[in-house]
Structure formats: structure tokens, C-alpha cells
Amino acid sequence: MTARTTTGTTTDTTTDTTTDTAAQATPRRRIRAIPLGPRSLAALVLVSAVGVIGFGWPFLAPPSSQLSAHAEDAPWLFAGLLVLLVAVVAATISESGLGPKAVAMLGVLAATGAALRPVGAGTAGIEPMFFLLVLSGRVLGPGFGFVLGSVTMFASALLTGGVGPWMPFQMLAMGWFTMGAGLLPGRAGLRGRGELVLLAGYGFLASFAYGTIMNMAGWPFMGTLASNISFDPQATVPSNLARFVAYCLATSMGWDLGRAVCTVVLTLALGPAVLRALRRATRRAAFETAVTFDAPRA
């Protein structure tokens, strides 16, 4: 059985040296495992808009609204809605060109990320999964990054038993986190130390952003457990904002700092090797080239 590309030329197996030399001789171009078409972009914008409302509704809903009157029920409503919307986004993106090679890459990276999450067991924010997702999103683009972040968080939740109303929020936040890495500038030409510094800086800031966003999802559940920092449906927006800042400082600042430092250290230490491996695998996968197979010869 001989593999051939859609151009009709037959290719035989070549050595790694020949492949790498040819790749270096050709100009660098952006390789996207999942191209983002109009439908995919529209779905991403829709789910992101609903996600912003789902995370930030305590600051968007006036005290007299019915949503504020059901402060402990609202996160469940948004959690159920986000599950459906994330599924719609994944389906839409898959229709835009999620081929078998991209599925294989997605499965390998998602399984690796899910396996890395329990390594530190979240102790002091040591979560090596984040650095892998930053590098993957950088190499494979924002569309692949969003799907990878969501699927990895879903798989890791099943692996660690972290299934609950917070899981859809984690999936969406991690999708944003990984997609953002794919949107960083200089993806086609920036290499070396400059790229590592850029990714480390993004990982540091995004680690705090992820923790803050997830605090928004869990904060309304507190009710009256800690009246000085919990969400008050009858309070004004400035008052609730002050309570939220106090809540973040009291509950997650140390955790987020540990996650940020871990991401920076792993990115600077392992980033060059991981980036090379991801780019080499992406070149050899040739996502834009469809592969067909000839019938066996008699």
C-alpha cells in the first residue's frame, strides 16, 4: 500500500535528516492544525460572550434582577449552558477541517496534559499542565488551542474526580488560556530567546488571569459563609468588586503565584526542546495535505 498526496505524486519514506533539512530550506509558514473559518469564529465569539456573562454576571446584573435573587442557582444555569455551547464550538471547529492527523495530535497532547495535572496535585499551584498548553497553543494556533484546552481540562477532571458545576467554567477558561497563546504575535518568525521570554511572560500573566476568572465562577457559591468577602446580591458593583478582590487575595493569591512561577520555570527550562518537538511533529503531520491510499497491488 503506497501513501500519496492529493497532488498525485508518490512519496517514499525518508530519513529524519532529509525531512528536517528540507523543512529548514523552505520559508517558514504558519501551520494550523485547525483552520478557523467564519462559522468557527462566530461560534467562538458566541461562546466567549456567553462565558463572559457566565463569569461576570455578579458585576453585570443589577441588585433588583431575578438573577441576583438566585445567586446560588445562577452558576448552575450558566454551567449547563456552557456545556452545550462548548460542545457546539467543538463540533463547528471540527467541521472546519479537524482531520484524522489533527485528531491524533489532539488526543496525544490532551492525554499528556491530563496526566501532568495530578503530578503536583495542585500543591502550592504546581501545575505543569499549563506550560504544555501554552507551548501547544503557540505552535498549533488558536483554533487547535481552544479545543485542546477544553478537552484537556475535561479529561483531567475525569481523571482526578474533579467533576462538578465548576468543570464547564474550567473548560472554557482553559480554552481561552490556550487560544491566547496561539494569538501571540510573531508566531511565524519569532524564535529563540525572544520567543521563550514572550511565552514565559504570557504564561505568568495568564496563570493569574485563569485563577481570577475561576474565582468569579465559585465566588457566588459562598453565600454567607464569609460575609466580609462573599458576594452580596444587594450590594452595589463597587462594593462587590472590593469584596471580590479581598476574596482573591485571601483564597487564591498564593496558589496563582505558584502556578505562574511553575509555568515560567518550565517554559524557560523545557520550552526549547518541547517547541522543537511540536514543530517537527507538525511539519511531518502536514495537516494541510490530505492523504489517500492506493489499492493493494496484485
Side-chain angles (χ1 to χ4, degrees), residues 37-56:
R39 292 176 58 190
S40 301
L41 287 174
L44 275 174
V45 170
L46 173 63
V47 73
S48 296
V50 175
V52 168
I53 297 173
F55 282 109

Side-chain angles (χ1 to χ4, degrees), residues 154 157-158 160-167:
F154 177 76
L158 296 179
T160 60
V163 178
W166 55 85
M167 188 183 70

Side-chain angles (χ1 to χ4, degrees), residues 9 91 95-96 109 127 173 187 221 225 261:
T9 59
E95 291 177 358
S96 300
L109 290 175
E127 295 177 288
R187 181 168 165 260
F221 277 117
L225 295 179
V261 171

Side-chain angles (χ1 to χ4, degrees), residues 52 54-59 211-220 244 247-248:
V52 168
F55 282 109
W57 69 266
F59 304 113
T212 302
I213 290 174
M214 287 310 304
N215 283 342
M216 287 185 182
W219 183 46
F244 179 69
Y247 172 78
C248 291

Side-chain angles (χ1 to χ4, degrees), residues 162-199:
V163 178
W166 55 85
M167 188 183 70
F169 293 96
Q170 288 179 325
M171 292 172 61
L172 181 58
M174 190 58 69
W176 286 341
F177 178 94
T178 314
M179 181 176 66
L183 294 173
L184 292 174
R187 181 168 165 260
L190 182 62
R191 296 291 186 271
R193 187 183 301 273
E195 183 180 36
L196 286 179
V197 171
L198 175 67
L199 293 176

Side-chain angles (χ1 to χ4, degrees), residues 21-47:
T21 302
Q24 293 172 1
T26 57
R28 290 194 184 102
R29 62 188 180 89
R30 292 192 171 191
I31 300 175
R32 296 183 183 276
I34 303 176
L36 285 179
R39 292 176 58 190
S40 301
L41 287 174
L44 275 174
V45 170
L46 173 63
V47 73

Side-chain angles (χ1 to χ4, degrees), residues 33-177:
I34 303 176
L36 285 179
R39 292 176 58 190
S40 301
L41 287 174
L44 275 174
V45 170
L46 173 63
V47 73
S48 296
V50 175
V52 168
I53 297 173
F55 282 109
W57 69 266
F59 304 113
L60 301 175
S64 58
S65 69
Q66 292 296 318
L67 197 58
S68 294
H70 297 278
E72 295 188 3
D73 299 331
W76 291 91
L77 170 65
F78 285 115
L81 184 60
L82 285 176
V83 169
L84 297 177
L85 287 176
V86 170
V88 169
V89 170
T92 303
I93 291 178
S94 67
E95 291 177 358
S96 300
L98 187 62
K101 291 177 285 188
V103 170
M105 180 76 78
L106 177 66
V108 170
L109 290 175
T112 303
L116 284 175
R117 192 181 184 193
V119 169
T123 304
I126 299 176
E127 295 177 288
M129 173 182 70
F130 281 78
F131 105 95
L132 176 64
L133 294 182
V134 170
L135 302 184
S136 300
R138 171 68 173 179
V139 173
L140 293 161
F144 189 94
F146 182 86
V147 177
L148 174 62
S150 300
V151 171
T152 301
M153 187 56 69
F154 177 76
S156 65
L158 296 179
L159 183 63
T160 60
V163 178
W166 55 85
M167 188 183 70
F169 293 96
Q170 288 179 325
M171 292 172 61
L172 181 58
M174 190 58 69
W176 286 341
F177 178 94

